[in-house]
Amino acid sequence: MSNHSNNNYPKLHNAMWPGLVGKGSPGAEPFISLGTMLDLSAAAEVDGIKFDGVDIFLFDPHVNIDSSDEDLKRLAEQVATRGFVIGSVVAPIWPPTGGGSSMGNEEERQKFVGQVRKGCRIAARLRELGVRPHGVVRIDSACGPTDWLKAPDANTRLIAQTFREAADVADSFGERLAAEGEICWGGMHSWREMVKLLELTDRPKTIGFQADMAHTLLYTLGYNAPEDAILPPDWDWSDARQLDAAMKTLTTALRPWTIDFHVAQNDGTVKGSGTHDKTGHHCLPNDPNGKLRITHHAGYWLHGEDGRLTKAMRHICWDGCMFPNEVMMQQQTWNDILSAMIAVRDAHGWREIDAGEAEPAEAMEAALVEPAAKPARKKAARPAKKAAKKKVAKKAARKPVKKAVKVKAAKKPVRKAKPVKKTKRVGTKALKKSKRKK
C-alpha cells in the first residue's frame, strides 16, 4: 500500500450526472443508469481507499424531480447499501427539463424558482433520512450568453432578482444554492460577470459559487468574453508561472464565494454533445493533453490568501461530463479518477474525528469530572492541609510501606476541603489506630 496522509476531509464524492449529461437525446449515446453509476463508483478502490459518497442530478431516469417520500426512501437505501452518502444535488432548472430562463418572462422565472423549490424539498428530505450530511443545491442562470448580450445590465439585474427569490425558497428548507460558473450560462460566462452577479444578488449566506476546475480554466482564456481573458491569446501552455498567476487572479476573485468544488481536468478546448453544448471539455485526469496540474491547481481553490485551508467544503466531487460510454464502463477509469481525488485530499485536506472514531462516553465523562473538582477547595483549609501533610508524612516515614499506604488513604478527605479540626481528628485517629496495631 502506498503512503497517504491521515486526512479524512474533505470527503471524496463522484458525480452521477455524467451518465445523463449529453446523453439520451437524438444522435447522442444512451443514458447510463443510476444503479450502474453507483456500482462503478462503489467498485473503485485505490490503496484501500474508496469514494465516500455521490452527488446526484434530480432528473429522470436517475431521480424524478417529483419523487414521492417513498421514492426518496428507496433512493436513500439504494445509496446507503453501497456505503455512500449523498452530497450536492443538481436542480433541473432549464427549460427542456421543466424549468425556465432566470432572465425570462414572469412565467419562465416562476418555473425556474419552482424547480428550485422541488430540488430543495428533495435535498432536505434526504437530509432528514440521514443519508445527506452535507452539500448544496446547484443551479445556474438557465440562459445563454447570446441572449444575455442583448441587454447585459438589465439581464444581470433580472437574473439576480430570480436568484434572490430562489434564495428565499432555499432558506425555507435550510438549504444553500451554488451557482455553477460555466461559459455556456448567460451572465455567468465570464469570471468578472460571475462576481458581479453574486454581488448584485447579495445573499452570501444562501447563494455561493460552484467551481469546476475544467470550466473555470476557460474563464482565464476568455471564451465567450474575450474582454475578460486573463491569459493572452495563443499563449504558450508550457509557461507554468503565467498559468499559476492567472489561477491566482481567478481564485482571488471567486474563492470567497465558493461553497461547492469539482475536481476536473481540461485540455483547453470547448466541446458539447446532445442538448448540453459549448462547454468545457472534461478530460480524464491522466489525459496527456490536460492543461491543469490537478493537485497543484486545486490548492488555489482550497487555500485562502493567507495560505491556510478554508475548509469551506465538507466534500469535493469529481466531474467528468460527456466521456464516451465505452470509457465510463471501464473500472480503471474510476480508479484513475479516485486516485486523482485522493491526491488532492492528501495535499489539501485535514483530519477530524468522526462519530465512529470518538472516545466512549464514560471516558469523556471521567476526563471532565476530575478538573471540575479542583475549584471546590476552600482557602481556609489550605494551611491546615499542608500541616496535616507534613505530620502524616513524618509519621508515615517511620512506618512500613504497607502501613504508609493506609495513612495516605486516610488523608483523602483532606483534599476535599473538610474543616481543619475534623481533618486533625481523622489524622490523629488514624495514627493512634496505627500504633495500636503495631
Side-chain angles (χ1 to χ4, degrees), residues 358-369:
E359 295 181 15
E362 291 182 2
M364 293 177 69
E365 290 174 1
L368 290 172
V369 170

Side-chain angles (χ1 to χ4, degrees), residues 12 36 48 60-61 74 89 93 113 139 150 186 230 243 247 255 262 270 287 304 317 336 339 345 347 354 371 412:
L12 308 181
T36 299
D60 280 329
R74 285 191 291 271
V89 301
I93 38 73
V113 175
I139 62 171
K150 295 175 181 177
I230 303 173
L243 178 58
M247 291 298 297
R255 187 196 311 107
H262 288 174
V270 175
D287 191 313
C317 182
D336 291 342
S339 181
R345 183 167 69 183
D354 287 329
K412 188 174 182 180

Side-chain angles (χ1 to χ4, degrees), residues 74 118 199 243 262 283 315 380 413 428-429 436:
R74 285 191 291 271
K118 291 179 179 181
E199 290 176 343
L243 178 58
H262 288 174
C283 300
H315 80 276
T428 305
K429 186 176 180 180
R436 285 199 301 273

Side-chain angles (χ1 to χ4, degrees), residues 327-367:
V327 172
M328 294 178 65
M329 295 303 294
Q330 297 175 19
Q331 190 59 56
Q332 189 59 44
T333 294
W334 304 105
N335 289 349
D336 291 342
I337 287 168
L338 176 58
S339 181
M341 297 289 287
I342 293 170
V344 170
R345 183 167 69 183
D346 282 347
H348 312 297
W350 67 95
R351 177 143 194 98
E352 293 184 15
I353 297 177
D354 287 329
E357 301 175 298
E359 295 181 15
E362 291 182 2
M364 293 177 69
E365 290 174 1

Side-chain angles (χ1 to χ4, degrees), residues 39-292:
D39 287 339
L40 289 165
S41 302
E45 184 172 346
V46 176
D47 297 331
I49 303 172
K50 301 176 74 67
F51 281 111
D52 300 300
V54 295
D55 287 6
I56 60 176
F57 185 12
L58 305 180
F59 187 64
D60 280 329
H62 279 195
V63 182
N64 191 301
I65 190 63
D66 293 309
S67 293
S68 66
D69 279 355
E70 288 302 314
D71 293 332
L72 296 178
K73 286 180 182 178
R74 285 191 291 271
L75 171 63
E77 182 179 359
Q78 185 181 19
V79 171
T81 54
R82 291 169 170 86
F84 289 150
V85 297
I86 295 173
S88 299
V89 301
V90 180
I93 38 73
W94 310 281
T97 61
S101 169
S102 63
M103 65 178 196
N105 59 35
E106 184 64 23
E107 181 182 0
E108 290 173 315
R109 293 175 55 248
Q110 286 308 307
K111 285 183 178 180
F112 180 103
V113 175
Q115 293 294 83
V116 171
R117 180 176 289 104
K118 291 179 179 181
C120 288
R121 179 190 73 83
I122 291 176
R125 183 63 183 135
L126 292 172
R127 186 161 19 93
E128 292 168 358
L129 290 169
V131 76
R132 184 172 170 265
H134 40 66
V136 301
V137 177
R138 240 173 12 99
I139 62 171
D140 53 60
S141 62
C143 57
T146 301
D147 290 334
W148 175 85
L149 281 166
K150 295 175 181 177
D153 291 340
N155 284 330
T156 293
R157 286 195 297 272
L158 196 53
I159 296 169
Q161 181 181 335
T162 306
F163 277 15
R164 285 192 294 272
E165 292 174 15
D168 291 338
V169 170
D171 283 339
S172 70
F173 286 96
E175 292 292 336
R176 291 192 302 168
L177 305 177
E180 180 190 29
E182 191 171 350
I183 62 169
C184 60
W185 307 131
M188 304 172 62
H189 58 287
S190 145
W191 64 278
R192 281 202 175 96
E193 292 299 333
M194 186 73 249
V195 172
K196 187 185 299 183
L197 176 59
L198 289 167
E199 290 176 343
L200 194 58
T201 301
D202 196 24
R203 296 291 293 274
K205 292 183 179 180
T206 307
I207 293 186
F209 181 67
Q210 190 273 306
D212 179 296
M213 291 177 67
H215 297 316
T216 52
L217 176 63
L218 299 187
Y219 275 168
T220 67
L221 298 173
Y223 277 104
N224 289 338
E227 67 280 7
D228 292 335
I230 303 173
L231 293 168
D234 301 322
W235 79 292
D236 184 358
W237 281 101
S238 65
D239 187 351
R241 289 186 178 182
Q242 192 166 5
L243 178 58
D244 286 352
M247 291 298 297
K248 181 175 175 58
T249 298
L250 178 70
T251 55
T252 297
L254 286 168
R255 187 196 311 107
W257 293 95
T258 302
I259 60 174
D260 201 40
F261 182 63
H262 288 174
V263 178
Q265 179 60 286
N266 192 300
D267 63 5
T269 66
V270 175
K271 70 166 291 184
S273 68
T275 58
H276 201 82
D277 199 11
K278 297 297 183 292
T279 187
H281 182 191
H282 285 89
C283 300
L284 291 173
N286 52 3
D287 191 313
N289 294 316
K291 305 303 184 188
L292 291 164

Side-chain angles (χ1 to χ4, degrees), residues 355-409:
E357 301 175 298
E359 295 181 15
E362 291 182 2
M364 293 177 69
E365 290 174 1
L368 290 172
V369 170
E370 186 175 354
K374 291 182 179 179
R377 292 184 297 182
K378 294 181 180 179
K379 292 183 179 179
R382 287 177 182 170
K385 188 164 71 171
K386 288 180 180 178
K389 270 186 175 181
K390 289 179 181 178
K391 186 174 181 180
V392 173
K394 289 178 181 178
K395 196 72 178 176
R398 296 195 294 269
K399 300 294 179 182
V401 174
K402 186 175 181 181
K403 292 184 178 181
V405 172
K406 290 184 179 180
V407 172
K408 284 186 179 181

